Amino acid sequence: MSKTRQTYMYSSFLLIFIIHDAQVGVGLPGYQRVVYQLAGHDAWITVLITGIITQLVVWMMIKTLAKFENKDLYDIHLVVYGKFLGNVANLIYTVYFLFATIIVMRNYIEMIQVWLFPNAPTWVLTLLIASIVFYGVTGGLRTIVGACFIFVTITIWLIFLLYFPLKYADWTGILPILETDMSHLSKGVLSMSFTMAGFEILYFIYAYAKDKSKVQRYSQIGLMSVTFVYTVVMFVTIVFYSGGELLKTDWATFTMLKIIKFSFLERFEYIGVSLWLLVIVPNLLMYSWAATRGLKRTFAWKQKYWLYVFIGVACIACSLIESRIQINRINNLFSKLAVYIVYVYPVVLFVIVNFHSWKQKKRSHTEVIP
Amino acid sequence: MKRFNLIFLVVLVLSLPFTLHLKANVLEKLGMVIASGYDKVDGNKIKGTYVLHQIDPSSKSTILTITSESLTSKGARVAANRQSHKKVVAGQMRVVIYDYKLAQSGLSTLVDTLFRDASVASTIYMAVSKESAEDLLTHKYTQFSDVGSFIVDDIQQNILGEQMISGTLHEFLSALYSTADPMVPLLQRKGDSVELKNVALFNGDKLVGTVGPREAFFLKTIRDRYKSGSIELSLATNQLGDIAKNVKEKTVRIVIENIASSCTKKLISQNPLKFQVNIKMKGVLTESSAQLDFRQVGVIQTLQKKLDDESEKQIQILLKKLISLDSDPIGFGEFFRSRVYHSNLTSDKWHDMYKSASYDVHVDIRIVRMGQIQ
């Protein structure tokens, strides 16, 4: 390990915050409707199951990474698939990150436009958010990790706001438990991928964690906290809304905040929507950082120049998405894509890598004996 | 390169006021709607009445009332804006009142527009007015100058004091989009005051009938936990037996102040549809029209027994009335859905089943205190 690399490393403990922030993003304000549509009032069980599946997948990811010491996914691809196929795989991941960046940005801007500034043009807001992202990514990985830590600590108290909708809770909403069948439950799990995505960033930041033996533990704690938050929010949503009402709500989480009223503050969701920027910025930072890193590795151009290109493309694409219907369509597409990239691929890679190392071991074995 | 980034950011931030197309909302130039009322007028039109708060030192009155007609409620607001010297905004709206006829013809589109609007809080109160909402809001009341705030405070005070059922936008929507039916307070102008008396019951989004305050008390007790509020019951003297030997009047009127109550519901059988309703109530006896000797053994017990019987009877009448109105504000449908696996209950299906529902009512009133005297 070179000395310069040491300066880029972060404490493994911070993975709790990184994973938490990478996963909680633009999905949380409105994931309930999609899951409820499929799994009904058992949606909270769906969320719990998805959380457990995610933990299994992350376990496999870290096992895969542990086989390669200080390599990230880009290097692993080159080792496993060879140069050409490896680069293609890397490019697919880069495109996925670009897609994710656009999705997160556009969804948040839609939120601003509906709740705060109905007349604000998309391109201005895109440019504003993009300049924050640009600034953060040029700061390097440690800046990003620091941002994750601080932003999580600033926004985690928002979970206590769930107390207010609970006052209107109707507990019969969640009964009867486990009424839906397996096919609906599994469909609900698939629909959660959009909301759960984000932990794939581990493939790229693992190499920079200081104490590798503790990565597994802290990542799992981070995942658990996300599953907890999602399940609790889902649970409260189901008891707060009646079924038909929830299906009519686009941002169920923020609509719930509409009932909060203080004597000094009439409408709480304005603060909620504004604070949400702090939640989604680390998402954007990590996606752009990981994507531009991959581009730099593949095409041997400075990361900063790639950042200009990456953010430029993201901005233009974001501004071109206009209507709510388009956003929904793109979200659905992303959701389907995310299942393969985030859930299926790590399992496949785990198998391939294990097979690869088994073959190598066998080869070296046969070579030694004679 | 660094300087370029810095200059870019500064230029971007400085250009924000021009590029975001923000509209300045100067308080002095706004007319904040505090209450709005809608009436049905002939030819599918809606008449909107808006009570605006204006911050204007030169004006004598702090409120301004505007009436306008249009095909939709949003159109009515736009039409109101044309009559106002201040921009009409809905961010401070606290109460929406619909007139009886409009509510009878269905409120779903009018409620939908409130739900859709991000600037309208989910906690605004909804109410139905017996006569026209316009009359209610534009009448020159001698006792109070600001009718909007008066109605809001009236509703709020009564709901927080649990004297009236709560009818916020969220509760309305929640019931409307489930198998249950909404209910909201009914307002009525009586001379120079506004009375919050009955409860308007809906079937879906259409008003089907009203119930009085005593029935509303039971309605509320069955629907949710209930802390305060009082009931007035009259018992026939001859049924009280020995304890009311010296009472000359035909009836004894008793007022019980409710301290705490709980209600459990049970589904006894699905076919025929039968529910069990168990109410436990602890109360203070605050008024009695006859001088009863409470030190005597058994007086309290007999009284409690009679009160139980009387309220059971009243609740049965109320539940029958709800069935005959085909309105389920208590949410027995939701209860059925939550207890029966794979019921696939829809609102229509439930309303078909609801007609045949019957109830087993048990009330257990316990008088725990009697005030200062025996």
Side-chain angles (χ1 to χ4, degrees):
Chain A
M1 193 186 297
S2 61
K3 207 169 180 196
T4 45
R5 186 146 194 175
Q6 189 80 45
T7 54
Y8 293 121
M9 311 268 277
Y10 58 89
S11 161
S12 302
F13 168 72
L14 290 171
L15 271 167
I16 297 177
F17 298 94
I18 299 172
I19 294 286
H20 187 101
D21 224 339
Q23 280 197 273
V24 177
V26 82
L28 183 57
Y31 70 110
Q32 294 100 323
R33 184 175 58 93
V34 186
V35 188
Y36 193 90
Q37 228 162 18
L38 295 160
H41 54 265
D42 285 325
W44 65 279
I45 299 174
T46 309
V47 177
L48 209 59
I49 293 173
T50 319
I52 293 163
I53 293 173
T54 312
Q55 290 195 302
L56 273 172
V57 171
V58 168
W59 181 82
M60 284 184 195
M61 279 168 70
I62 294 172
K63 283 281 169 209
T64 313
L65 285 160
K67 282 206 159 44
F68 293 91
E69 196 60 17
N70 279 324
K71 290 192 165 72
D72 63 12
L73 188 68
Y74 296 129
D75 297 325
I76 295 174
H77 277 158
L78 292 177
V79 171
V80 177
Y81 301 130
K83 201 164 181 211
F84 178 72
L85 274 179
N87 274 330
V88 170
N90 289 351
L91 220 56
I92 290 174
Y93 250 89
T94 314
V95 172
Y96 165 78
F97 282 135
L98 179 66
F99 197 5
T101 310
I102 295 167
I103 286 267
V104 171
M105 233 186 313
R106 189 63 188 90
N107 272 292
Y108 181 64
I109 289 166
E110 168 83 0
M111 258 160 72
I112 298 179
Q113 284 169 335
V114 169
W115 296 85
L116 303 177
F117 306 122
N119 299 317
T122 313
W123 66 271
V124 179
L125 296 169
T126 322
L127 224 52
L128 266 177
I129 296 172
S131 53
I132 303 172
V133 175
F134 185 83
Y135 177 72
V137 176
T138 38
L141 181 61
R142 274 163 69 112
T143 313
I144 298 171
V145 172
C148 283
F149 174 70
I150 291 174
F151 289 176
V152 169
T153 44
I154 292 176
T155 51
I156 195 72
W157 59 274
L158 284 168
I159 186 100
F160 295 113
L161 295 175
L162 291 176
Y163 164 75
F164 296 94
L166 269 185
K167 281 197 279 195
Y168 286 87
D170 176 14
W171 299 101
T172 54
I174 53 155
L175 295 169
I177 290 168
L178 266 178
E179 197 187 17
T180 45
D181 46 19
M182 279 319 283
S183 84
H184 281 99
L185 267 187
S186 51
K187 269 182 204 154
V189 168
L190 287 180
S191 73
M192 274 296 286
S193 62
F194 173 67
T195 317
M196 282 284 183
F199 58 87
E200 67 275 12
I201 204 73
L202 208 64
Y203 269 140
F204 306 95
I205 56 170
Y206 174 81
Y208 296 93
K210 261 188 196 141
D211 189 352
K212 299 278 192 300
S213 63
K214 286 184 178 151
V215 168
Q216 186 74 267
R217 181 196 306 167
Y218 289 126
S219 307
Q220 298 289 354
I221 292 175
L223 286 169
M224 266 185 238
S225 79
V226 174
T227 309
F228 174 75
V229 169
Y230 280 170
T231 313
V232 168
V233 171
M234 193 66 182
F235 194 86
V236 175
T237 308
I238 294 169
V239 296
F240 178 74
Y241 292 103
S242 66
E245 191 187 8
L246 180 54
L247 291 179
K248 281 194 152 254
T249 322
D250 263 330
W251 288 282
T253 313
F254 281 118
T255 311
M256 271 197 304
L257 298 187
K258 273 176 91 170
I259 63 152
I260 302 176
K261 201 189 273 180
F262 296 114
S263 50
F264 55 91
L265 182 69
E266 177 87 12
R267 307 292 306 286
F268 195 84
E269 73 274 13
Y270 287 160
I271 289 187
V273 173
S274 322
L275 267 182
W276 213 251
L277 179 66
L278 299 186
V279 178
I280 65 136
V281 159
N283 266 316
L284 294 169
L285 287 177
M286 278 191 276
Y287 286 144
S288 333
W289 177 80
T292 47
R293 239 187 124 58
L295 288 167
K296 171 195 161 190
R297 200 80 57 78
T298 321
F299 298 106
W301 210 18
K302 264 186 155 182
Q303 190 173 3
K304 197 169 164 189
Y305 299 146
W306 275 120
L307 193 60
Y308 279 116
V309 177
F310 183 83
I311 287 183
V313 172
C315 276
I316 292 166
C318 233
S319 315
L320 290 178
I321 306 168
E322 240 177 284
S323 67
R324 174 87 211 148
I325 299 153
Q326 283 172 328
I327 295 173
N328 271 338
R329 207 179 290 157
I330 290 173
N331 281 354
N332 287 337
L333 182 67
F334 180 78
S335 194
K336 287 197 184 100
L337 185 72
V339 176
Y340 295 107
I341 297 265
V342 173
Y343 283 99
V344 180
Y345 184 64
V347 180
V348 173
L349 190 67
F350 179 72
V351 174
I352 291 175
V353 164
N354 272 310
F355 182 69
H356 193 77
S357 66
W358 174 74
K359 223 165 70 177
Q360 252 173 0
K361 209 186 269 170
K362 209 172 142 191
R363 193 182 297 152
S364 65
H365 207 62
T366 46
E367 272 165 13
V368 170
I369 290 171
Chain B
M1 213 47 165
K2 276 230 170 91
R3 183 171 294 163
F4 168 73
N5 288 342
L6 193 70
I7 292 170
F8 172 74
L9 200 66
V10 169
V11 170
L12 184 64
V13 170
L14 288 181
S15 63
L16 280 184
F18 306 102
T19 49
L20 276 177
H21 302 291
L22 300 181
K23 284 179 193 147
N25 281 330
V26 181
L27 197 57
E28 281 78 7
K29 289 185 178 160
L30 293 183
M32 285 174 293
V33 178
I34 187 142
S36 54
Y38 296 103
D39 288 308
K40 194 180 171 73
V41 283
D42 297 333
N44 259 340
K45 274 194 167 185
I46 293 168
K47 187 193 275 175
T49 311
Y50 302 90
V51 180
L52 311 181
H53 265 209
Q54 49 175 357
I55 287 131
D56 195 346
S58 59
S59 167
K60 255 187 212 160
S61 165
T62 55
I63 64 155
L64 179 74
T65 318
I66 303 176
T67 310
S68 62
E69 261 180 50
S70 183
L71 287 167
T72 57
S73 65
K74 277 281 180 308
R77 199 199 289 175
V78 174
N81 202 37
R82 286 198 290 268
Q83 296 173 36
S84 166
H85 66 301
K86 302 204 169 189
K87 191 176 150 199
V88 177
V89 289
Q92 288 287 323
M93 195 149 75
R94 296 293 158 79
V95 64
V96 196
I97 301 160
Y98 302 100
D99 98 302
Y100 205 89
K101 268 188 238 143
L102 192 63
Q104 273 178 324
S105 60
L107 291 178
S108 61
T109 53
L110 293 160
V111 176
D112 184 72
T113 175
L114 292 174
F115 190 29
R116 211 173 278 277
D117 193 341
S119 73
V120 172
S122 309
T123 46
I124 64 164
Y125 293 115
M126 301 187 51
V128 170
S129 68
K130 192 91 195 272
E131 276 89 39
S132 83
E134 187 195 4
D135 173 62
L136 191 76
L137 291 174
T138 52
H139 183 81
K140 287 271 169 283
Y141 297 93
T142 49
Q143 298 172 45
F144 38 87
S145 59
D146 181 355
V147 61
S149 300
F150 175 80
I151 292 174
V152 174
D153 292 344
D154 193 3
I155 295 176
Q156 197 162 9
Q157 180 265 114
N158 277 296
I159 288 172
L160 292 179
E162 311 230 17
Q163 301 286 348
M164 182 39 85
I165 57 109
S166 172
T168 59
L169 176 62
H170 166 66
E171 282 161 312
F172 191 92
L173 289 166
S174 200
L176 181 64
Y177 294 128
S178 70
T179 50
D181 291 309
M183 56 178 168
V184 298
L186 185 89
L187 298 172
Q188 192 176 5
R189 183 173 73 81
K190 275 208 169 159
D192 261 355
S193 74
V194 178
E195 196 182 14
L196 190 72
K197 200 175 159 192
N198 294 344
V199 173
L201 303 172
F202 287 76
N203 174 1
D205 67 330
K206 293 184 176 66
L207 193 150
V208 285
T210 59
V211 290
R214 183 190 295 159
E215 289 159 310
F217 172 87
F218 289 124
L219 206 60
K220 206 168 170 348
T221 324
I222 301 171
R223 197 182 63 159
D224 31 46
R225 276 165 299 134
Y226 197 30
K227 292 217 179 60
S228 58
S230 55
I231 43 163
E232 191 186 61
L233 290 167
S234 52
L235 309 169
T237 315
N238 52 9
Q239 280 183 5
L240 283 172
D242 284 348
I243 65 163
K245 263 187 294 197
N246 308 325
V247 181
K248 289 195 182 69
E249 295 93 358
K250 270 198 180 141
T251 56
V252 177
R253 286 175 298 282
I254 302 282
V255 178
I256 303 282
E257 185 107 17
N258 185 6
I259 310 172
S261 74
S262 67
C263 174
T264 49
K265 280 168 272 185
K266 237 187 234 159
L267 179 66
I268 300 177
S269 77
Q270 282 186 48
N271 210 0
L273 191 61
K274 191 160 193 174
F275 292 97
Q276 191 178 48
V277 180
N278 281 320
I279 297 171
K280 279 198 175 123
M281 198 189 287
K282 269 193 249 172
V284 182
L285 187 137
T286 51
E287 195 177 325
S288 162
S289 67
Q291 291 292 328
L292 297 172
D293 189 6
F294 291 111
R295 269 165 299 189
Q296 214 177 312
V297 187
V299 171
I300 297 267
Q301 274 77 0
T302 318
L303 206 58
Q304 282 176 356
K305 179 87 195 30
K306 289 293 161 208
L307 286 169
D308 291 351
D309 292 347
E310 179 63 26
S311 29
E312 272 167 26
K313 213 167 76 194
Q314 302 243 2
I315 290 171
Q316 283 289 5
I317 294 170
L318 168 68
L319 294 173
K320 292 244 166 59
K321 186 171 177 182
L322 293 180
I323 289 175
S324 70
L325 289 172
D326 200 14
S327 173
D328 178 24
I330 294 167
F332 282 105
E334 278 294 291
F335 189 78
F336 184 86
R337 185 200 59 73
S338 72
R339 296 302 135 108
V340 179
Y341 274 83
H342 306 291
S343 58
N344 295 324
L345 203 64
T346 58
S347 191
D348 291 336
K349 207 169 145 189
W350 171 244
H351 278 287
D352 281 342
M353 291 162 68
Y354 187 53
K355 289 185 189 89
S356 65
S358 62
Y359 304 92
D360 225 352
V361 183
H362 294 286
V363 182
D364 180 16
I365 296 179
R366 278 178 52 210
I367 300 172
V368 289
R369 282 191 279 279
M370 273 157 291
Q372 297 185 51
I373 56 161
Q374 278 290 322

